[in-house]
Amino acid sequence: MDVLKNNCESIRILASRELNKHGINLKLKNLPRKKISVKRTCYGVAIRNLDMVDMILGKNKITIPKIFYNLCTFIGSDMNVEGIFRIEGSKIKQKNTIKYIDKQCRIPDDISIIEAGAVLKAFIRNLPDALIHQDYERWFVEAAKLPEDHIVEALLLAVFLLPLEHIYLLMYFMQFFQEITTHSSTNKMDLHNMAIVISPNIFEQTNKVSAETSSIRCDITKIMMQHAKEIGCVPEKIIQKLDDFDTLQAQKKCRFFW
């Protein structure tokens, strides 16, 4: 049984309660869904509206956008390229590649690894709803400020507050980016360097980002890459509470209808 998929909202509430125990007492909000009027196929399209593909990631069956899967698969064909994800390449070529993908719904044959990395970042950065929306970033930031021995647990719990499609994509991306860093002897992209170039793309884009905020975002991204295979894995203590929680919620609904 897919525990996360079948119990997403219950896990979300229970995870917020576990974070409350860590002293993170923020209001749990619903993610504002932006309405996009411009008709596009890929670029600037919400995750839930993209062409999706099912895949197995470890022991998990997840669903992610096909365009991200194809770009990562291509980049993964040669992870030893120096400056991968750090070097931007030609802005004109990047713009033309995005237009091509939007029109053809596939990656052009003449794209390079460097260009693919730049285009992937652009796609992530321009999602209408950021992977980690600003309403949820506060939970991640507060988790990162906890005593060192609680940070990892709290950040992994904070992931469950996100919409399911965002959780799946974070699971996939963090494992993929972590794999890139295992080739750092040749591509020069260790965990720290990768976190620096990736973190601005997964958080909400704002006009002014302070040095402190940038540093915290970088630290959060680095920790998530370090613990990539744990992202999306529902803790046993939450699984044990699911039946009682769902029963209680059902009873509340019954009392409401009566």
Side-chain angles (χ1 to χ4, degrees):
M1 182 178 73
D2 191 332
V3 177
L4 177 57
K5 183 177 181 179
N6 295 334
N7 302 276
C8 191
E9 186 57 30
S10 296
I11 291 171
R12 184 172 182 264
I13 295 171
L14 290 171
S16 71
R17 292 180 180 178
E18 290 297 321
L19 287 166
N20 291 160
K21 294 177 183 178
H22 285 287
I24 304 176
N25 298 300
L26 300 172
K27 184 177 180 181
L28 187 59
K29 298 181 179 180
N30 291 321
L31 181 71
R33 304 281 191 166
K34 295 181 181 177
K35 294 182 179 180
I36 308 300
S37 58
V38 179
K39 292 185 178 180
R40 295 177 178 272
T41 56
C42 295
Y43 190 73
V45 176
I47 297 172
R48 62 190 180 279
N49 294 331
L50 289 167
D51 185 18
M52 309 295 277
V53 60
D54 294 327
M55 63 172 295
I56 301 297
L57 189 66
K59 296 181 179 180
N60 302 293
K61 181 179 180 181
I62 66 173
T63 303
I64 64 171
K66 189 174 182 179
I67 182 59
F68 292 130
Y69 175 78
N70 289 343
L71 280 167
C72 289
T73 299
F74 176 74
I75 295 167
S77 66
D78 188 358
M79 297 185 183
N80 294 307
V81 176
E82 185 173 348
I84 186 171
F85 285 111
R86 177 173 54 81
I87 299 174
E88 289 294 324
S90 169
K91 292 291 185 182
I92 295 176
K93 184 66 180 293
Q94 184 182 139
K95 185 177 180 179
N96 290 337
T97 299
I98 289 171
K99 286 183 178 179
Y100 180 91
I101 294 174
D102 244 354
K103 184 177 180 179
Q104 303 293 334
C105 295
R106 68 181 184 87
I107 303 170
D109 296 331
D110 61 344
I111 193 172
S112 69
I113 297 293
I114 291 294
E115 290 163 352
V119 168
L120 177 61
K121 287 194 299 180
F123 271 90
I124 301 170
R125 184 170 60 251
N126 286 280
L127 288 170
D129 298 317
L131 271 180
I132 301 179
H133 189 274
Q134 61 183 356
D135 286 339
Y136 297 108
E137 181 176 351
R138 295 175 61 203
W139 293 81
F140 285 82
V141 170
E142 291 302 313
K145 293 179 179 178
L146 291 173
E148 189 173 349
D149 55 340
H150 294 286
I151 292 176
V152 173
E153 179 188 0
L155 284 177
L156 292 174
L157 284 169
V159 171
F160 291 117
L161 308 185
L162 304 173
L164 182 61
E165 65 266 25
H166 290 228
I167 298 174
Y168 282 161
L169 202 47
L170 273 176
M171 292 169 65
Y172 179 74
F173 276 149
M174 290 304 152
Q175 289 197 37
F176 174 70
F177 295 143
Q178 193 276 336
E179 179 64 20
I180 294 288
T181 67
T182 64
H183 298 258
S184 62
S185 61
T186 51
N187 63 32
K188 311 303 180 185
M189 296 300 291
D190 58 18
L191 280 167
H192 181 69
N193 290 336
M194 183 64 75
I196 289 175
V197 298
I198 292 301
S199 58
N201 302 283
I202 66 174
F203 290 94
E204 189 82 2
Q205 298 296 304
T206 53
N207 292 329
K208 292 183 179 180
V209 178
S210 67
E212 180 184 7
T213 298
S214 294
S215 178
I216 292 175
R217 287 178 171 183
C218 182
D219 290 341
I220 291 170
T221 305
K222 182 177 178 179
I223 292 170
M224 286 198 294
M225 283 192 289
Q226 287 174 316
H227 298 270
K229 292 185 179 180
E230 300 170 56
I231 295 176
C233 297
V234 184
E236 187 62 32
K237 61 183 175 182
I238 288 183
I239 292 176
Q240 292 173 355
K241 294 177 181 178
L242 275 175
D243 287 341
D244 289 341
F245 178 80
D246 290 339
T247 299
L248 181 61
Q249 294 301 103
Q251 290 173 347
K252 287 181 178 179
K253 288 181 181 179
C254 287
R255 285 200 297 271
F256 174 78
F257 285 115
W258 277 102

